[in-house]
Amino acid sequence: MKKYTNRGIDIEIDELTNSIKNVFSGDSFPTDITLITKSDINSITKKNDWLFDWKLELKYPERDVFKLTIVNNQSIIQGLISLEIKSDHVFMHLIESALFNKGKTKIYSGVPGNLVAFACKLSFQRGHEGNVAFISKTQLISHYEQSLGAVHFGNRLMIIDTNAALNLINKYFTNTI
Amino acid sequence: MKTKKIELDVDFIGSQPSTLTKEEEQAISNYILTHKIKLLRTNSKVKVNA
């Protein structure tokens, strides 16, 4: 029997910046979020230091995997997100930053926040009023409440509702909504 | 007004498999519906009072 004790998105939203920011230089870079391509699939493997099995996500036809890249630099993936459009919300299955954006030695900050904001935007576009749900690890619930404005409503279920979604979108997609 | 920035040591780890139980799906839908009804009631109260 499969154990689900490790369920829950375990990311820490480090900074809600307007784009992703080079931690060393302080320079900000505008980002693109697009569906992953066939050529990406071979590079997003555990062998290439991705924690999740992203190929597995692609086996679920109802899920879409998007990549975050810096504008004009689509070949270097900064982070990935797996989303599913449900009947009344968008469900965020997974988010992962690239290895070089993890931990204290990360190069760019703002990757996960940027991806979450994208999920909110997609939710509006699909008529779901910005609602984005996800499962959080228990110890990160209050962190998501503070950093994303997410609401915890039982077990580890959390939701980013319309107002919180708008706040996030305004941070990241100022010129596009 | 300055917004408080949360600075953290970042380590991005998720989990697989990521699946929702029927109960969890229902809980999400119930929350969204309840929230919508609350908003509608609040808005209609505001209109009546206006």
Side-chain angles (χ1 to χ4, degrees), chain A residues 7 10 14 52 63 103 143, chain B residues 6 8-10 13-14 18-19:
Chain A
R7 290 180 68 201
D10 182 12
D14 53 322
F52 294 128
R63 298 183 193 180
H143 174 66
Chain B
I6 299 164
L8 294 162
D9 289 329
V10 181
I13 304 164
S18 165
T19 48

Side-chain angles (χ1 to χ4, degrees), chain A residues 83-94:
Chain A
L83 297 173
E84 181 176 346
I85 310 292
K86 298 278 191 181
S87 60
D88 52 4
H89 67 281
V90 167
F91 191 80
M92 194 162 68
H93 286 282
L94 296 172

Side-chain angles (χ1 to χ4, degrees), chain A residues 30-44:
Chain A
T31 50
D32 275 332
I33 298 179
T34 51
L35 280 168
I36 59 165
T37 61
K38 276 185 184 174
S39 59
D40 294 322
I41 293 167
N42 293 329
S43 68
I44 51 173

Side-chain angles (χ1 to χ4, degrees), chain A residues 6-8 10 12-15 51-53 57 63 86 88-89 91 93-94 97 101-104 106 112 129 133 143 151 153 159 161, chain B residues 3-21 23-33 35-36 39:
Chain A
N6 264 338
R7 290 180 68 201
D10 182 12
E12 288 189 344
I13 307 300
D14 53 322
E15 208 173 334
L51 180 82
F52 294 128
D53 180 353
E57 288 303 296
R63 298 183 193 180
K86 298 278 191 181
D88 52 4
H89 67 281
F91 191 80
H93 286 282
L94 296 172
S97 289
N101 289 330
K102 287 178 182 169
K104 288 180 179 171
K106 70 183 170 208
E129 299 172 350
H143 174 66
V151 176
F153 63 100
I159 193 159
D161 64 20
Chain B
T3 50
K4 192 187 170 191
K5 279 187 179 177
I6 299 164
E7 290 183 34
L8 294 162
D9 289 329
V10 181
D11 196 11
F12 308 105
I13 304 164
S15 61
Q16 272 179 322
S18 165
T19 48
L20 276 175
T21 63
E23 290 77 16
E24 286 170 334
E25 294 232 23
Q26 194 56 55
I28 295 169
S29 291
N30 287 346
Y31 176 87
I32 291 169
L33 190 63
H35 192 65
K36 262 186 192 174
L39 273 179

Side-chain angles (χ1 to χ4, degrees), chain A:
Chain A
M1 201 176 119
K2 285 175 184 170
K3 287 183 180 177
Y4 290 95
T5 49
N6 264 338
R7 290 180 68 201
I9 289 179
D10 182 12
I11 55 165
E12 288 189 344
I13 307 300
D14 53 322
E15 208 173 334
L16 294 179
T17 55
N18 228 348
S19 51
I20 62 171
K21 189 169 86 178
N22 187 299
V23 173
F24 304 103
S25 68
D27 293 333
S28 287
F29 294 87
T31 50
D32 275 332
I33 298 179
T34 51
L35 280 168
I36 59 165
T37 61
K38 276 185 184 174
S39 59
D40 294 322
I41 293 167
N42 293 329
S43 68
I44 51 173
T45 58
K46 292 197 176 192
K47 201 178 164 188
N48 285 340
D49 296 318
W50 288 91
L51 180 82
F52 294 128
D53 180 353
W54 287 95
K55 275 187 184 175
L56 180 67
E57 288 303 296
L58 296 171
K59 287 180 182 166
Y60 296 98
E62 68 277 16
R63 298 183 193 180
D64 284 319
V65 177
F66 296 89
K67 62 176 178 179
L68 183 140
T69 54
I70 288 173
V71 170
N72 297 328
N73 194 357
Q74 289 240 329
S75 58
I76 299 175
I77 297 173
Q78 306 292 335
L80 292 165
I81 186 168
S82 170
L83 297 173
E84 181 176 346
I85 310 292
K86 298 278 191 181
S87 60
D88 52 4
H89 67 281
V90 167
F91 191 80
M92 194 162 68
H93 286 282
L94 296 172
I95 290 183
E96 184 178 1
S97 289
L99 180 68
F100 52 85
N101 289 330
K102 287 178 182 169
K104 288 180 179 171
T105 56
K106 70 183 170 208
I107 297 175
Y108 293 102
S109 64
V111 171
N114 211 307
L115 288 165
V116 174
F118 171 75
C120 296
K121 190 165 170 260
L122 191 65
S123 174
F124 275 109
Q125 288 170 340
R126 298 300 174 97
H128 295 335
E129 299 172 350
N131 291 310
V132 174
F134 61 101
I135 292 174
S136 167
K137 290 210 167 184
T138 311
Q139 64 268 36
L140 287 171
I141 286 170
S142 69
H143 174 66
Y144 292 132
E145 287 172 340
Q146 289 167 38
S147 59
L148 296 173
V151 176
H152 172 231
F153 63 100
N155 291 327
R156 288 169 297 163
L157 285 173
M158 297 201 80
I159 193 159
I160 300 167
D161 64 20
T162 307
N163 287 336
L166 280 172
N167 287 336
L168 291 171
I169 291 167
N170 286 335
K171 277 273 183 190
Y172 288 93
F173 300 95
T174 332
N175 301 317
T176 57
I177 193 166

